[in-house]
């Protein structure tokens, strides 16, 4: 029941050319997002390590230089 579309040959070629171009753009976007994702994951891991180091240094300073003040002495 299906029939061949009545599209001029030059239009069909341009549509195929555009589809190839769109596929190339899609593949480029996927590659870009994959690279960006990898970089963000690496940066996030580095940030967590730096943040952990900062938190540990802060807690060490609190324990070393802090003083306990009883609530009734405030």
């Amino acid at each position: 029941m299906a029939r061949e579309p009545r599209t001029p040959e030059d239009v069909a070629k341009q549509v195929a050319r555009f589809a190839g171009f769109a596929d190339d753009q899609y593949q480029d976007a996927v590659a870009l997002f994959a690279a960006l994702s990898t970089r963000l994951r690496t940066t996030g891991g580095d940030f967590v390590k730096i943040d952990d180091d900062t938190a540990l240094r802060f807690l060490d300073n609190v324990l070393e230089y802090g003083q306990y003040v009883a609530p009734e002495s405030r």
Side-chain angles (χ1 to χ4, degrees):
M1 304 220 52
R3 63 181 166 82
E4 196 171 315
R6 297 179 190 180
T7 306
E9 187 176 333
D10 59 331
V11 173
K13 284 182 184 178
Q14 292 299 324
V15 168
R17 183 174 155 260
F18 178 76
F21 172 77
D23 184 56
D24 287 346
Q25 293 294 306
Y26 171 76
Q27 295 300 330
D28 288 347
V30 168
L32 177 66
F33 290 143
L36 182 60
S37 171
T38 301
R39 185 66 183 147
L40 286 173
R41 192 175 305 121
T42 302
T43 302
D46 292 346
F47 178 76
V48 167
K49 182 184 178 317
I50 290 169
D51 198 36
D52 284 347
D53 292 344
T54 302
L56 288 174
R57 195 168 38 251
F58 172 76
L59 290 175
D60 286 343
N61 286 337
V62 167
L63 292 173
E64 186 175 343
Y65 301 112
Q67 293 180 345
Y68 175 74
V69 177
E72 52 280 343
S73 299
R74 289 187 193 176

